[in-house]
């Protein structure tokens, strides 16, 4: 019997911390399919993505670069990266978001990963997590078991992601007006506006503005931004404390103060729900 509603989860910064493309790059570098220079560039892009989210320009450029870099690579060699990529992605999943996905399943709503990452990763990850399916991009055409480097298929990003979801809903008889969608990026507004229950997860500034204006639920799980803010605050306090100590020393008071107890900076913080 066809489902009456479903739930769609973006992957990067929504279901997992950071970028799945970067984790793929690390695995590809380890296997000799990516240069050290490109890995370093991807590392910088991953940090920037985790702090600011994605943009149309960077996302399309990434797709083109990945497609071109696959030219001459055997499909089999890429598929063999699967275990290493999963080993890097799985520890970065947000358990709170995965719990939400399972709540949807228990309520009778099938759950799909909808991501600009590869369709192979989307399918494998959905299978490993016991979700109902994955919607992902194809990055390169294949000829005789070898990637040609020519982009092919629908890019599951922006309007393309919404189109893929509409096509799935038509096939499966899903009522999108009763469905849910979760994403971090304003680029996913077409998907979020497609469903009756949009939810912003770790939203970029643009999506946060829209979510607040339209009264959407907002969930936060990201840790990097909080770590950097906390580190800056501690650094500022240390500088202020050092200046104060110097001033006291010049006054000849010479008092010694006990050091404060160290606190764990990177402790996990529970989700904060906003409206």
């Amino acid at each position: 019997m066809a489902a009456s509603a479903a739930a769609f989860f973006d992957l990067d910064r929504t279901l997992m911390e950071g970028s799945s493309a970067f984790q793929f790059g690390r695995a590809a570098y380890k296997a000799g399919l990516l240069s050290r220079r490109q890995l370093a560039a991807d590392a910088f892009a991953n940090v920037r993505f985790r702090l600011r989210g994605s943009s149309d320009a960077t996302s399309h450029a990434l797709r083109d670069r990945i497609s071109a870099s696959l030219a001459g690579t055997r499909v089999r060699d890429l598929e063999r990266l699967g275990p290493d990529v999963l080993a890097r992605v799985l520890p970065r999943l947000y358990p709170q978001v995965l719990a939400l996905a399972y709540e949807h399943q228990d309520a009778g709503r099938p759950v799909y990963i909808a991501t600009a990452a590869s369709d192979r990763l989307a399918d494998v990850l959905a299978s490993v997590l016991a979700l109902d399916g994955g919607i992902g991009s194809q990055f390169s055409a294949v000829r005789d078991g070898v990637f040609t480097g020519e982009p092919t298929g629908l890019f599951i990003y922006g309007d393309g992601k919404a189109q893929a979801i509409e096509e799935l809903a038509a096939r499966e008889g899903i009522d999108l007006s009763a469905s849910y969608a979760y994403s971090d990026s304003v680029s996913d507004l077409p998907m979020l506006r497609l469903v009756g229950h949009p939810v912003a997860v770790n939203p970029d500034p643009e999506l946060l503005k829209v979510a607040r204006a339209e009264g959407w639920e907002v969930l936060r799980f990201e840790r990097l931004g909080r770590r950097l803010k906390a580190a800056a605050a501690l650094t500022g306090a240390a500088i202020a404390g050092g200046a104060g100590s110097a001033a006291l020393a010049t006054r000849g008071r010479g008092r010694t103060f006990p050091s404060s107890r160290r606190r764990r900076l990177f402790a996990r913080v529970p989700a904060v729900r906003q409206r």
Side-chain angles (χ1 to χ4, degrees), residues 2 9 19 31 34 45 63 69 78 80 82 85 89 104 156 170 177 179 192 194 198 201 204 210 214 244 250 258 261:
F9 286 80
S19 167
L34 193 69
R63 187 211 189 187
S69 68
L78 198 70
R80 287 173 178 171
V85 175
V89 167
H104 281 296
I156 309 302
S177 67
S179 296
L192 294 168
L194 197 62
V201 181
D204 59 30
V210 175
E214 305 209 11
T250 58
R261 184 176 300 175

Side-chain angles (χ1 to χ4, degrees), residues 27-34:
Y29 169 74
K30 182 179 176 181
L33 301 178
L34 193 69

Side-chain angles (χ1 to χ4, degrees), residues 39-50:
L39 181 64
D42 286 352
F44 174 76
N46 180 53
V47 172
R48 183 174 57 187
F49 169 71
R50 289 172 65 185

Side-chain angles (χ1 to χ4, degrees), residues 209-260:
K209 290 179 184 178
V210 175
R212 286 176 172 170
E214 305 209 11
W216 296 349
E217 185 175 11
V218 176
L219 304 178
R220 290 193 180 279
F221 304 98
E222 84 278 23
R223 296 189 293 272
L224 182 62
R226 287 197 295 267
R227 291 175 182 176
L228 294 180
K229 289 177 182 178
L234 288 176
T235 300
I239 293 172
S245 297
L248 288 174
T250 58
R251 293 177 184 176
R253 297 184 180 181
R255 286 188 287 180
T256 303
F257 295 90
S259 60
S260 60

Side-chain angles (χ1 to χ4, degrees), residues 7-275:
F8 302 92
F9 286 80
D10 177 46
L11 178 57
D12 297 345
R13 271 178 42 111
T14 301
L15 189 56
M16 66 170 283
E17 181 180 14
S19 167
S20 58
F22 175 59
Q23 302 310 325
F24 166 81
R26 292 176 66 188
Y29 169 74
K30 182 179 176 181
L33 301 178
L34 193 69
S35 70
R36 182 185 295 272
R37 180 178 180 181
Q38 189 58 64
L39 181 64
D42 286 352
F44 174 76
N46 180 53
V47 172
R48 183 174 57 187
F49 169 71
R50 289 172 65 185
L51 290 173
R52 302 179 184 176
S54 63
S55 69
D56 291 353
T58 56
S59 296
H60 284 276
L62 178 63
R63 187 211 189 187
D64 291 344
R65 182 179 63 74
I66 291 176
S67 299
S69 68
L70 290 175
T73 301
R74 297 187 307 172
V75 173
R76 177 177 297 176
D77 291 334
L78 198 70
E79 290 175 341
R80 287 173 178 171
L81 297 180
D84 195 5
V85 175
L86 281 178
R88 298 173 188 276
V89 167
L90 292 177
R92 291 170 172 79
L93 294 175
Y94 291 116
Q96 305 97 322
V97 183
L98 190 58
L100 279 175
Y102 292 151
E103 287 178 12
H104 281 296
Q105 283 186 319
D106 291 343
R109 291 181 287 269
V111 175
Y112 300 90
I113 297 173
T115 175
S118 76
D119 52 356
R120 288 179 171 85
L121 176 61
D123 288 338
V124 170
L125 191 57
S127 177
V128 169
L129 298 179
L131 302 180
D132 297 276
I135 304 170
S137 303
Q138 293 181 359
F139 285 96
S140 171
V142 176
R143 185 178 298 117
D144 299 326
V146 176
F147 290 107
T148 66
E150 301 171 3
T152 186
L154 187 64
F155 185 30
I156 309 302
Y157 179 86
D159 291 332
K161 184 180 290 189
Q163 179 183 334
I165 290 174
E166 284 183 307
E167 292 173 356
L168 173 67
R171 292 194 305 270
E172 301 297 329
I174 294 171
D175 179 4
L176 291 176
S177 67
S179 296
Y180 294 73
Y182 297 80
S183 178
D184 71 291
S185 175
V186 71
S187 66
D188 273 335
L189 276 180
M191 173 183 75
L192 294 168
R193 295 195 186 283
L194 197 62
V195 301
H197 305 281
V199 181
V201 181
N202 303 325
D204 59 30
E206 292 80 8
L207 178 58
L208 181 59
K209 290 179 184 178
V210 175
R212 286 176 172 170
E214 305 209 11
W216 296 349
E217 185 175 11
V218 176
L219 304 178
R220 290 193 180 279
F221 304 98
E222 84 278 23
R223 296 189 293 272
L224 182 62
R226 287 197 295 267
R227 291 175 182 176
L228 294 180
K229 289 177 182 178
L234 288 176
T235 300
I239 293 172
S245 297
L248 288 174
T250 58
R251 293 177 184 176
R253 297 184 180 181
R255 286 188 287 180
T256 303
F257 295 90
S259 60
S260 60
R261 184 176 300 175
R262 295 183 180 178
R263 297 179 180 178
R264 294 185 63 187
L265 175 60
F266 303 146
R268 295 182 67 89
V269 179
V272 176
R273 293 177 181 255
Q274 301 179 351
R275 283 286 183 182

